[in-house]
Amino acid sequence: MSSTIGQVIRCKAAVAWEAGKPLVIEEVEVAPPQKMEVRVKIHFTSLCHTDVYFWEAKGQNPLFPRILGHEAGGVVESVGEGVTDLAPGDHVLPVFTGECKECAHCKSEESNMCDLLRINTDRGVMIHDGKSRFSINGKPIFHFVGTSTFSEYTVVHVGCLAKINPLAPLDKVCVVSCGISTGLGATLNVAKPKKGSSVAVFGLGAVGLAAAEGARIAGASRIIGVDLNSNRFEIAKKFGVTEFVNPKDYNKPVQEVIAEMTNGGVDRSVECTGHIDAMISAFECVHDGWGVAVLVGVPHKDAVFKTSPLNFLNEKTLKGTFYGNYKPRSDIPAVVEQYMNKELELEKFLTHEVPFSEINKAFDLMLKGEGLRCIIRMDA
């Protein structure tokens, strides 16, 4: 490894040249890490819906050519000036948001929304000098959310890397770096259901099932899964879901259905779709007096949340969360330990695997809605 320190590395990367067109495996040059940066050899990455969303570029500023990817596991190859808490050989998970450890948010016990490193989907360059570390024949290729893991090597700000147990299998724990932690933390860190309580989860994709997994770990006795796709109900049983509601099966609002099922409402709900109607239903279906609803899904920018203020006066609580309220460097290593201690089950999230050369197959699977997480092996 040491022979590459300080040198430009030539390696393979999957480049998105334009919106919605298949990624192309190209040879790219990856510059050495600069101040407070780390160069990482990616061993495994996986595809998250956010990658597809920005690849399609339907709802935001298109930025191409770009190397996507943000859910991954790898090993530090070299570190830049000023990096003291990581060294070559350390096992890390790159995270799309960061923790500088110095701003007001990082010093707060309540927030994980770092001023310096919180997610910025429009920025395609490194913070230090406003330049890309990727190029092809001298032409810069843009970064994506500070991670760009669809490359054999990538450069990441030290604050966006969680140092993890080197014994943890990277082909499993790579999914902790995004979707699984988002859903899991929404339940465990924000909703905080008590043992024996009832929890409703809206949306049974990977994030929603991670929220259900959190409810299972917390000891909830009833976990109600809500989804418009009844095909998802069978797999959801593996994640502790005990009952299912498809809103299409009823001619009244789903919040009323859930209230009838639960003698007035669930103790906690977690909304993982981003659809405004589901968000309102998730809030209105919790029990008065103590019910807490947590919003995870990202809505359309023009969406408006409408509900009666009486719901709040009747002591229902509405909360939002970002990345499950986990601080990447401080908290994510402990989530990996939950897996190592067999508290958190990750294997059931991993439904497909493809070699890096066939990365477009992972996009096809997600666009068809097949499976949960597709692992991409970088060495194949």
Side-chain angles (χ1 to χ4, degrees):
M1 247 188 208
S2 58
S3 64
T4 55
I5 290 177
Q7 309 292 317
V8 170
I9 289 179
R10 285 178 176 77
C11 69
K12 291 195 182 93
V15 178
W17 287 101
E18 54 184 306
K21 295 288 170 65
L23 306 189
V24 182
I25 304 290
E26 306 275 12
E27 183 177 82
V28 299
E29 288 111 36
V30 185
Q34 302 301 304
K35 188 176 181 181
M36 302 308 286
E37 296 173 3
V38 178
R39 190 160 56 185
V40 178
K41 185 179 200 297
I42 299 295
H43 286 234
F44 297 93
T45 186
S46 65
L47 184 64
C48 166
H49 195 266
T50 307
D51 296 305
V52 175
Y53 181 73
F54 282 90
W55 167 72
E56 290 178 324
K58 289 176 181 171
Q60 69 288 326
N61 300 328
L63 194 59
F64 297 97
R66 199 173 205 182
I67 297 172
L68 297 167
H70 65 282
E71 205 171 75
V75 177
V76 173
E77 174 269 338
S78 62
V79 301
E81 177 195 338
V83 174
T84 54
D85 39 354
L86 285 175
D90 284 344
H91 286 219
V92 291
L93 302 182
V95 182
F96 62 87
T97 188
E99 181 185 354
C100 73
K101 297 198 172 180
E102 292 171 6
C103 69
H105 284 278
C106 287
K107 287 180 176 172
S108 158
E109 289 182 9
E110 297 176 55
S111 175
N112 65 341
M113 301 188 75
C114 175
D115 279 330
L116 180 69
L117 299 169
R118 75 172 68 172
I119 186 170
N120 182 333
T121 56
D122 290 333
R123 187 170 56 229
V125 293
M126 299 303 286
I127 288 175
H128 171 61
D129 58 4
K131 293 178 181 173
S132 174
R133 302 287 172 261
F134 298 110
S135 60
I136 296 178
N137 300 325
K139 181 179 190 275
I141 307 293
F142 291 115
H143 293 251
F144 175 64
V145 296
T147 53
S148 291
T149 60
F150 294 166
S151 175
E152 292 175 323
Y153 287 86
T154 188
V155 176
V156 181
H157 191 285
V158 64
C160 298
L161 290 167
K163 180 181 175 181
I164 63 163
N165 184 339
L167 300 177
L170 290 172
D171 61 332
K172 308 290 191 295
V173 299
C174 62
V175 294
V176 168
S177 68
C178 177
I180 307 310
S181 295
T182 296
L184 187 74
T187 303
L188 294 178
N189 298 337
V190 188
K192 297 180 180 173
K194 294 183 172 71
K195 194 167 184 181
S197 63
S198 59
V199 179
V201 177
F202 286 71
L204 299 175
V207 174
L209 292 173
E213 176 79 352
R216 182 190 69 76
I217 291 169
S221 60
R222 293 181 75 182
I223 304 174
I224 301 168
V226 183
D227 202 291
L228 295 169
N229 180 355
S230 298
N231 295 334
R232 289 181 165 176
F233 293 167
E234 199 55 43
I235 191 169
K237 291 176 185 173
K238 293 184 188 174
F239 299 83
V241 175
T242 56
E243 299 155 76
F244 305 98
V245 174
N246 186 333
K248 289 195 287 194
D249 294 343
Y250 300 88
N251 55 10
K252 58 184 166 188
V254 69
Q255 53 266 47
E256 292 179 20
V257 175
I258 292 171
E260 287 171 14
M261 290 169 65
T262 55
N263 195 24
V266 285
D267 302 313
R268 301 289 186 265
S269 71
V270 185
E271 199 293 315
C272 301
T273 72
H275 291 293
I276 194 65
D277 292 342
M279 291 178 157
I280 295 165
S281 297
F283 175 51
E284 294 184 352
C285 81
V286 299
H287 206 288
D288 57 8
W290 61 78
V292 178
V294 178
L295 304 184
V296 181
V298 179
H300 187 276
K301 65 180 184 349
D302 298 326
V304 177
F305 189 101
K306 291 180 180 174
T307 192
S308 168
L310 289 173
N311 287 316
F312 297 98
L313 298 176
N314 289 332
E315 298 176 8
K316 296 183 179 190
T317 299
L318 179 64
K319 292 185 172 184
T321 177
F322 169 69
Y323 194 51
N325 277 37
Y326 288 116
K327 292 178 187 275
R329 295 159 88 180
S330 302
D331 299 334
I332 292 304
V335 180
V336 171
E337 291 310 308
Q338 282 183 288
Y339 167 73
M340 297 298 279
N341 297 335
K342 298 189 163 46
E343 296 164 49
L344 168 63
E345 298 167 10
L346 291 177
E347 281 81 1
K348 56 196 178 187
F349 288 97
L350 314 177
T351 51
H352 296 83
E353 186 175 295
V354 297
F356 188 39
S357 59
E358 297 175 20
I359 189 170
N360 289 304
K361 275 192 185 170
F363 280 76
D364 293 340
L365 288 165
M366 186 159 277
L367 290 168
K368 287 180 192 159
E370 290 180 24
L372 294 172
R373 277 295 184 265
C374 179
I375 300 294
I376 299 156
R377 299 185 69 92
M378 301 304 287
D379 60 0

